[in-house]
Amino acid sequence: MERYYQPEIECAPREEIVKLQSERLAKQVRRVWENVPYYRRKMEEKGVSPDDIRGIEDLHKLPFLSKADLREAYPYGLLGKPLKDCVRIQSTSGTTGKRVVAFYTQHDIDLWEDCCARAIVAAGGTDEDVCQVSYGYGLFTGGPGLNGGSHKVGCLTVPTSSGNTDRQIMFIQDLSATILCCTPSYAAYLGERMKEMGLGPDEIPLKAGIFGAEAWSEEMRQDIQNTLGIRAYDIYGLTELSGPGVAFECSAQHGMHINEDHFIAEIIDPDTEEVLPEGSVGELVFTAIDKEAFPMIRYRTRDICSLTREKCSCGRTHVRMSKPMGRSDDMLIIRGVNVFPSQIETVLLNQGYAANYQIIVDRVNNTDTFDVQVELTPEMFTDNVGEIQTHQKKLEAALISMLGIRPKVTLVAPKTIARSEGKAVRVIDRRKI
Ligand code: DLL
């Protein structure tokens, strides 16, 4: 039987959700107009005022916010509440440019943790469960968000944070952890290590995993599910909007329900900024309608996916987003062709490899070079050169058929490619260095 953390809102009729969204949006826009001069200026430049925003049908009139705005307004320029009312910050890893620093009031923390609690209950969590949170704690939102959600559900929370893999496995075994929260790449690594230790899926007490923070394929889901003997659920979110829990998967494992009482989602064409009809693939844009301290309006996520309002078998009524295929800024353009790392991952797993790979792109004599280094599995590993060449040719052909361009495939020995404890680094683009 499907369980819900907040059934009255998670399964509310559509009309009720739209009504709530409209009321909250109008209020939020007025609050921001009055308290955030940076966004008010943007509204004035576009010729809109709070009187023009009566409901979600008016959302398209509002200006977008982007990462560039966040940088320009850093650190306090987008605060929606006096600093004395804020109780927490979290921050992104800031691999490109300045970090994003997001602020929270106690109300914001509560709604964020509720969202994470919804995700845990949707994955089958109850107060009988032991929930091991192996996302990083600290400035990253993964650890604190799921920790808070786990408390709300009443699970026994094991805050291991990331890293120290053998200790993670010891806690899973000794405390009989039933739910694991971490990045999918770290879940795959934990599975690999457990296999090495001779632990099969039946000896692992886990029943569910809540994995997100990076793009991962359906094939990788199958792989993790088989190795750990669990059901693996996707969870999505970003620091700007609170953290994990903006959207989460239910028992149907077919798209993530966006918490529409807190976030309005739109899909736009990233080039023309035009709003696209339901079902179209484009850039996801979010408006946070009841966050106080960091009230993002029409925030461009750069994540590429689609939305559907088709009825879901779980009974939840909130719109679902497809698995993001990656970020528009992760998309590689190699010899003019668009390549997403997730496409390469799909091919690898279909061909019996694990998701241990690295893409290296460079420019030599004005031509892009495209190398894919892939680890052989211990079962495939051999010193028979002919056999390795056959594997290599077969993989190259499958990648060409998926991508439309030829990569140079190098097969390397098991355990050659560095494992990650958080978000995996899949791409080295030397053209940018
Ligand atoms: O990664 C929040 C999070 C923590 C989500 C734990 C899920 C679990 P940021 O570090 O700000 O926040 O990175 C946000 O990560 O815009 C996406 O590009 C990517 N991302 C997050 N979840 C998913 C997912 C956290 N399930 C950025 N699938 C987002 C694909 C994801 N990409």
Side-chain angles (χ1 to χ4, degrees):
M1 199 193 60
E2 189 80 29
R3 286 210 196 81
Y4 314 97
Y5 180 65
Q6 289 165 318
E8 67 296 342
I9 182 66
E10 291 178 66
C11 305
R14 289 281 340 145
E15 317 79 71
E16 237 175 70
I17 297 172
V18 168
K19 188 162 167 273
L20 180 71
Q21 285 189 326
S22 287
E23 284 166 12
R24 287 186 168 173
L25 175 68
K27 243 195 231 160
Q28 180 76 314
V29 168
R30 191 163 296 278
R31 201 156 48 205
V32 167
W33 171 271
E34 283 160 8
N35 296 299
V36 188
Y38 186 94
Y39 196 74
R40 181 181 181 141
R41 226 173 10 255
K42 285 192 80 119
M43 283 177 69
E44 281 167 347
E45 274 163 24
K46 227 181 158 207
V48 256
S49 81
D51 292 336
D52 300 316
I53 312 298
R54 285 153 201 254
I56 56 170
E57 64 286 359
D58 298 320
L59 185 60
H60 68 98
K61 297 178 184 163
L62 289 161
F64 291 104
L65 275 173
S66 67
K67 208 148 205 154
D69 289 303
L70 266 57
R71 283 199 192 117
E72 204 181 315
Y74 175 89
Y76 298 129
L78 285 162
L79 263 188
K81 277 272 177 181
L83 209 49
K84 73 168 183 43
D85 293 342
C86 299
V87 297
R88 174 98 67 84
I89 68 144
Q90 300 286 161
S91 175
T92 60
S93 53
T95 39
T96 49
K98 257 215 160 51
R99 282 170 174 273
V100 169
V101 173
F103 298 83
Y104 305 71
T105 60
Q106 187 55 51
H107 160 91
D108 297 336
I109 299 273
D110 265 343
L111 81 81
W112 174 27
E113 292 181 350
D114 281 345
C115 289
C116 289
R118 289 179 194 175
I120 293 171
V121 173
T126 69
D127 58 3
E128 310 257 353
D129 280 295
V130 177
C131 180
Q132 185 153 320
V133 183
S134 313
Y135 285 111
Y137 280 62
L139 288 170
F140 179 54
T141 55
L146 281 142
N147 191 91
S150 173
H151 275 214
K152 287 215 171 196
V153 176
C155 303
L156 174 65
T157 310
V158 186
T160 45
S161 192
S162 57
N164 209 332
T165 304
D166 285 3
R167 191 179 64 189
Q168 300 271 2
I169 296 172
M170 183 196 82
F171 274 120
I172 291 174
Q173 294 289 95
D174 294 354
L175 301 176
S176 283
T178 46
I179 301 177
L180 173 67
C181 306
C182 62
T183 58
S185 51
Y186 193 51
Y189 179 45
L190 278 167
E192 183 183 348
R193 184 76 191 116
M194 288 189 206
K195 219 185 217 174
E196 278 171 8
M197 294 163 88
L199 293 171
D202 293 339
E203 284 109 341
I204 300 168
L206 294 171
K207 64 173 192 193
I210 302 178
F211 305 135
E214 62 187 4
W216 55 308
S217 58
E218 240 354 278
E219 291 73 12
M220 187 150 168
R221 186 211 302 271
Q222 293 308 327
D223 205 46
I224 296 173
Q225 292 195 148
N226 294 339
T227 316
L228 295 178
I230 60 171
R231 289 195 69 176
Y233 298 90
D234 202 350
I235 184 166
Y236 170 89
L238 53 160
T239 313
E240 295 84 327
L241 293 175
S242 58
V246 171
F248 62 87
E249 249 178 5
C250 61
S251 58
Q253 292 181 304
H254 193 58
M256 292 180 268
H257 291 280
I258 293 171
N259 284 306
E260 285 191 285
D261 48 332
H262 303 306
F263 307 105
I264 304 177
E266 301 170 276
I267 293 284
I268 63 161
D269 177 322
D271 299 322
T272 64
E273 299 191 334
E274 179 200 350
V275 179
L276 299 177
E278 188 178 319
S280 319
V281 175
E283 181 182 338
L284 189 55
V285 171
F286 278 113
T287 300
I289 43 181
D290 60 349
K291 258 157 53 67
E292 296 178 334
F294 210 51
M296 295 286 102
I297 294 183
R298 298 198 92 197
Y299 182 65
R300 295 188 55 168
T301 64
R302 301 271 164 206
D303 292 320
I304 305 294
C305 69
S306 63
L307 298 177
T308 176
R309 290 205 166 72
E310 260 170 45
K311 200 166 178 278
C312 183
S313 60
C314 76
R316 289 179 183 78
T317 46
H318 293 203
V319 67
R320 275 173 294 157
M321 59 183 272
S322 63
K323 258 181 176 312
M325 60 187 300
R327 299 171 58 79
S328 58
D329 39 14
D330 273 357
M331 186 184 78
L332 291 159
I333 303 182
I334 307 174
R335 296 175 218 139
V337 177
N338 298 351
V339 173
F340 281 102
S342 59
Q343 295 174 297
I344 294 175
E345 186 177 297
T346 297
V347 171
L348 293 181
L349 287 145
N350 276 334
Q351 300 275 322
Y353 295 85
N356 296 317
Y357 65 98
Q358 205 149 45
I359 303 161
I360 302 148
V361 191
D362 204 346
R363 187 163 287 145
V364 180
N365 299 330
N366 292 320
T367 308
D368 291 334
T369 59
F370 175 25
D371 291 82
V372 183
Q373 285 199 355
V374 181
E375 253 183 35
L376 288 159
T377 61
E379 296 76 38
M380 289 171 172
F381 191 52
T382 163
D383 45 19
N384 181 333
V385 180
E387 223 173 286
I388 303 259
Q389 277 173 346
T390 311
H391 281 312
Q392 189 173 327
K393 287 216 176 85
K394 201 168 152 223
L395 184 54
E396 247 172 28
L399 286 168
I400 292 168
S401 133
M402 167 68 98
L403 307 171
I405 53 167
R406 175 185 290 276
K408 178 167 170 272
V409 172
T410 310
L411 295 175
V412 298
K415 305 227 129 196
T416 317
I417 293 172
R419 302 293 186 267
S420 131
E421 293 166 353
K423 301 191 192 221
V425 181
R426 307 286 195 203
V427 179
I428 301 173
D429 193 343
R430 298 213 170 100
R431 297 172 301 185
K432 291 185 184 159
I433 298 171

